[in-house]
Amino acid sequence: MEIKLNTEARDKRINEYYLEALEKISKYAEEGHDLTEHVFPKDIYDQVRTKLGNHMQAFNIKFVWQSIGNMSSVAVGEGRLMRFKLLN
């Protein structure tokens, strides 16, 4: 039996979490908040983070992924908690 990773499904999940995070960041920014927290699945959190970072850089939006303690992300259930901060 052949087992093959469905990369289209993985890419779709990455895009869904990316769009959700982008929407949340935008909504919070409109309300005057510069910090948002996101939980991304462990298996794709790095790809979602990279995609968000590339989007912000493409539009010259200054931001940082804020550390939590001394870590860039923290395990939460089946995901990774990350903090995104817009800069002035």
Side-chain angles (χ1 to χ4, degrees):
M1 172 174 57
E2 181 180 351
I3 298 174
K4 185 176 177 185
L5 176 65
N6 184 344
T7 57
E8 287 180 22
R10 182 193 63 204
D11 292 345
K12 182 179 176 186
R13 288 178 53 233
I14 292 167
N15 201 50
E16 287 171 358
Y17 278 94
Y18 156 74
L19 291 173
E20 283 178 17
L22 202 55
E23 185 177 319
K24 184 176 183 180
I25 292 166
S26 177
K27 179 180 178 245
Y28 275 49
E30 286 178 16
E31 295 173 355
H33 304 282
D34 60 355
L35 181 68
T36 54
E37 292 185 340
H38 307 273
V39 177
F40 303 131
K42 289 178 185 176
D43 63 326
I44 61 171
Y45 82 94
D46 192 45
Q47 292 91 337
V48 176
R49 174 184 165 139
T50 299
K51 191 166 183 165
L52 278 168
N54 290 344
H55 176 94
M56 297 301 165
Q57 289 175 351
F59 288 93
N60 292 321
I61 299 169
K62 298 194 183 313
F63 73 96
V64 293
W65 287 101
Q66 210 172 43
S67 61
I68 304 168
N70 62 351
M71 312 271 300
S72 62
S73 65
V74 175
V76 177
E78 294 297 316
R80 302 291 297 176
L81 171 66
M82 307 185 87
R83 289 185 176 161
F84 179 91
K85 182 171 177 73
L86 291 170
L87 303 174
N88 293 339

